[in-house]
mmCIF file of all heavy atoms in Angstrom:
data_model
loop_
_atom_site.group_PDB
_atom_site.id
_atom_site.type_symbol
_atom_site.label_atom_id
_atom_site.label_comp_id
_atom_site.label_asym_id
_atom_site.label_seq_id
_atom_site.Cartn_x
_atom_site.Cartn_y
_atom_site.Cartn_z
ATOM 1 N N ALA A 12 14.122 20.930 -15.664
ATOM 2 C CA ALA A 12 14.320 20.929 -17.110
ATOM 3 C C ALA A 12 15.595 21.684 -17.510
ATOM 4 O O ALA A 12 16.228 21.351 -18.508
ATOM 5 C CB ALA A 12 13.111 21.538 -17.809
ATOM 6 N N LEU A 13 15.961 22.703 -16.747
ATOM 7 C CA LEU A 13 17.164 23.474 -17.056
ATOM 8 C C LEU A 13 18.439 22.689 -16.780
ATOM 9 O O LEU A 13 19.469 22.911 -17.422
ATOM 10 C CB LEU A 13 17.194 24.769 -16.226
ATOM 11 C CG LEU A 13 16.208 25.849 -16.619
ATOM 12 C CD1 LEU A 13 16.189 26.940 -15.552
ATOM 13 C CD2 LEU A 13 16.567 26.429 -17.971
ATOM 14 N N LEU A 14 18.360 21.781 -15.835
ATOM 15 C CA LEU A 14 19.542 21.014 -15.439
ATOM 16 C C LEU A 14 19.729 19.790 -16.324
ATOM 17 O O LEU A 14 18.761 19.193 -16.781
ATOM 18 C CB LEU A 14 19.402 20.583 -13.984
ATOM 19 C CG LEU A 14 19.306 21.728 -12.993
ATOM 20 C CD1 LEU A 14 18.767 21.219 -11.674
ATOM 21 C CD2 LEU A 14 20.647 22.392 -12.818
ATOM 22 N N SER A 15 20.983 19.447 -16.550
ATOM 23 C CA SER A 15 21.273 18.240 -17.311
ATOM 24 C C SER A 15 22.601 17.664 -16.836
ATOM 25 O O SER A 15 23.410 18.379 -16.244
ATOM 26 C CB SER A 15 21.323 18.530 -18.810
ATOM 27 O OG SER A 15 22.512 19.214 -19.140
ATOM 28 N N PRO A 16 22.863 16.378 -17.116
ATOM 29 C CA PRO A 16 24.102 15.759 -16.655
ATOM 30 C C PRO A 16 25.365 16.359 -17.282
ATOM 31 O O PRO A 16 26.421 16.300 -16.693
ATOM 32 C CB PRO A 16 23.956 14.297 -17.077
ATOM 33 C CG PRO A 16 22.515 14.090 -17.287
ATOM 34 C CD PRO A 16 21.959 15.415 -17.710
ATOM 35 N N HIS A 17 25.257 16.911 -18.450
ATOM 36 C CA HIS A 17 26.446 17.367 -19.155
ATOM 37 C C HIS A 17 26.593 18.876 -19.179
ATOM 38 O O HIS A 17 27.515 19.396 -19.790
ATOM 39 C CB HIS A 17 26.429 16.842 -20.591
ATOM 40 C CG HIS A 17 26.299 15.356 -20.639
ATOM 41 N ND1 HIS A 17 27.290 14.508 -20.232
ATOM 42 C CD2 HIS A 17 25.267 14.565 -21.006
ATOM 43 C CE1 HIS A 17 26.888 13.254 -20.370
ATOM 44 N NE2 HIS A 17 25.653 13.264 -20.826
ATOM 45 N N ARG A 18 25.693 19.592 -18.533
ATOM 46 C CA ARG A 18 25.718 21.044 -18.585
ATOM 47 C C ARG A 18 25.725 21.623 -17.178
ATOM 48 O O ARG A 18 24.888 21.266 -16.355
ATOM 49 C CB ARG A 18 24.485 21.528 -19.335
ATOM 50 C CG ARG A 18 24.577 22.958 -19.747
ATOM 51 C CD ARG A 18 23.477 23.262 -20.721
ATOM 52 N NE ARG A 18 22.615 24.246 -20.072
ATOM 53 C CZ ARG A 18 21.385 24.508 -20.426
ATOM 54 N NH1 ARG A 18 20.827 23.848 -21.400
ATOM 55 N NH2 ARG A 18 20.694 25.418 -19.814
ATOM 56 N N VAL A 19 26.669 22.485 -16.910
ATOM 57 C CA VAL A 19 26.771 23.147 -15.614
ATOM 58 C C VAL A 19 26.152 24.537 -15.736
ATOM 59 O O VAL A 19 26.446 25.273 -16.670
ATOM 60 C CB VAL A 19 28.249 23.262 -15.181
ATOM 61 C CG1 VAL A 19 28.373 24.052 -13.901
ATOM 62 C CG2 VAL A 19 28.857 21.882 -15.020
ATOM 63 N N ILE A 20 25.275 24.866 -14.801
ATOM 64 C CA ILE A 20 24.588 26.153 -14.841
ATOM 65 C C ILE A 20 24.873 26.906 -13.543
ATOM 66 O O ILE A 20 24.600 26.395 -12.456
ATOM 67 C CB ILE A 20 23.068 25.966 -15.013
ATOM 68 C CG1 ILE A 20 22.792 25.155 -16.269
ATOM 69 C CG2 ILE A 20 22.370 27.316 -15.073
ATOM 70 C CD1 ILE A 20 21.345 24.829 -16.477
ATOM 71 N N PRO A 21 25.399 28.120 -13.653
ATOM 72 C CA PRO A 21 25.665 28.917 -12.449
ATOM 73 C C PRO A 21 24.380 29.292 -11.713
ATOM 74 O O PRO A 21 23.311 29.428 -12.317
ATOM 75 C CB PRO A 21 26.339 30.178 -12.998
ATOM 76 C CG PRO A 21 26.771 29.843 -14.380
ATOM 77 C CD PRO A 21 25.851 28.775 -14.873
ATOM 78 N N ARG A 24 22.512 32.330 -13.025
ATOM 79 C CA ARG A 24 21.725 32.099 -14.245
ATOM 80 C C ARG A 24 20.412 31.398 -13.921
ATOM 81 O O ARG A 24 19.361 31.739 -14.465
ATOM 82 C CB ARG A 24 22.519 31.288 -15.259
ATOM 83 C CG ARG A 24 21.696 31.026 -16.497
ATOM 84 C CD ARG A 24 22.505 30.722 -17.696
ATOM 85 N NE ARG A 24 21.605 30.394 -18.789
ATOM 86 C CZ ARG A 24 21.709 29.314 -19.518
ATOM 87 N NH1 ARG A 24 22.697 28.479 -19.338
ATOM 88 N NH2 ARG A 24 20.831 29.083 -20.464
ATOM 89 N N LEU A 25 20.473 30.400 -13.036
ATOM 90 C CA LEU A 25 19.240 29.728 -12.613
ATOM 91 C C LEU A 25 18.284 30.732 -11.984
ATOM 92 O O LEU A 25 17.089 30.734 -12.270
ATOM 93 C CB LEU A 25 19.552 28.610 -11.617
ATOM 94 C CG LEU A 25 20.261 27.376 -12.168
ATOM 95 C CD1 LEU A 25 20.669 26.460 -11.019
ATOM 96 C CD2 LEU A 25 19.385 26.652 -13.157
ATOM 97 N N GLU A 28 16.794 32.927 -14.761
ATOM 98 C CA GLU A 28 15.873 32.147 -15.616
ATOM 99 C C GLU A 28 14.532 31.925 -14.926
ATOM 100 O O GLU A 28 13.491 31.933 -15.574
ATOM 101 C CB GLU A 28 16.485 30.794 -15.966
ATOM 102 C CG GLU A 28 17.645 30.843 -16.922
ATOM 103 C CD GLU A 28 17.214 30.973 -18.368
ATOM 104 O OE1 GLU A 28 16.071 30.616 -18.691
ATOM 105 O OE2 GLU A 28 18.046 31.433 -19.159
ATOM 106 N N GLU A 52 23.963 18.311 -8.030
ATOM 107 C CA GLU A 52 25.263 18.571 -7.420
ATOM 108 C C GLU A 52 25.770 19.950 -7.787
ATOM 109 O O GLU A 52 25.365 20.523 -8.803
ATOM 110 C CB GLU A 52 26.288 17.532 -7.906
ATOM 111 C CG GLU A 52 25.955 16.109 -7.548
ATOM 112 C CD GLU A 52 26.062 15.827 -6.062
ATOM 113 O OE1 GLU A 52 26.877 16.479 -5.382
ATOM 114 O OE2 GLU A 52 25.320 14.970 -5.573
ATOM 115 N N ARG A 57 33.797 23.974 -11.733
ATOM 116 C CA ARG A 57 33.074 24.258 -12.980
ATOM 117 C C ARG A 57 32.106 25.431 -12.821
ATOM 118 O O ARG A 57 31.564 25.940 -13.791
ATOM 119 C CB ARG A 57 32.343 23.003 -13.434
ATOM 120 C CG ARG A 57 33.334 21.914 -13.851
ATOM 121 C CD ARG A 57 32.709 20.556 -14.010
ATOM 122 N NE ARG A 57 31.703 20.504 -15.048
ATOM 123 C CZ ARG A 57 30.874 19.488 -15.205
ATOM 124 N NH1 ARG A 57 30.943 18.446 -14.400
ATOM 125 N NH2 ARG A 57 29.984 19.501 -16.157
ATOM 126 N N GLY A 59 29.032 25.777 -11.078
ATOM 127 C CA GLY A 59 27.583 25.712 -11.142
ATOM 128 C C GLY A 59 26.998 24.383 -10.736
ATOM 129 O O GLY A 59 27.697 23.499 -10.242
ATOM 130 N N TYR A 60 25.707 24.243 -11.004
ATOM 131 C CA TYR A 60 24.935 23.055 -10.667
ATOM 132 C C TYR A 60 24.743 22.172 -11.884
ATOM 133 O O TYR A 60 24.684 22.662 -13.004
ATOM 134 C CB TYR A 60 23.565 23.458 -10.117
ATOM 135 C CG TYR A 60 23.639 24.048 -8.740
ATOM 136 C CD1 TYR A 60 23.833 25.410 -8.562
ATOM 137 C CD2 TYR A 60 23.525 23.242 -7.621
ATOM 138 C CE1 TYR A 60 23.913 25.960 -7.286
ATOM 139 C CE2 TYR A 60 23.597 23.775 -6.343
ATOM 140 C CZ TYR A 60 23.799 25.130 -6.186
ATOM 141 O OH TYR A 60 23.879 25.661 -4.928
ATOM 142 N N PHE A 61 24.628 20.878 -11.631
ATOM 143 C CA PHE A 61 24.387 19.908 -12.693
ATOM 144 C C PHE A 61 23.778 18.657 -12.079
ATOM 145 O O PHE A 61 23.785 18.491 -10.865
ATOM 146 C CB PHE A 61 25.693 19.552 -13.430
ATOM 147 C CG PHE A 61 26.684 18.814 -12.566
ATOM 148 C CD1 PHE A 61 26.793 17.435 -12.631
ATOM 149 C CD2 PHE A 61 27.490 19.506 -11.672
ATOM 150 C CE1 PHE A 61 27.695 16.758 -11.822
ATOM 151 C CE2 PHE A 61 28.403 18.830 -10.871
ATOM 152 C CZ PHE A 61 28.502 17.457 -10.947
ATOM 153 N N LEU A 62 23.230 17.801 -12.924
ATOM 154 C CA LEU A 62 22.712 16.518 -12.458
ATOM 155 C C LEU A 62 23.837 15.500 -12.538
ATOM 156 O O LEU A 62 24.531 15.395 -13.547
ATOM 157 C CB LEU A 62 21.534 16.059 -13.332
ATOM 158 C CG LEU A 62 20.278 16.895 -13.201
ATOM 159 C CD1 LEU A 62 19.217 16.378 -14.159
ATOM 160 C CD2 LEU A 62 19.752 16.893 -11.791
#
Side-chain angles (χ1 to χ4, degrees):
L13 288 170
L14 298 163
S15 74
H17 304 291
R18 195 168 116 199
V19 175
I20 303 176
R24 179 158 176 232
L25 290 172
E28 289 279 338
E52 299 291 330
R57 293 167 62 192
Y60 288 89
F61 66 98
L62 292 177

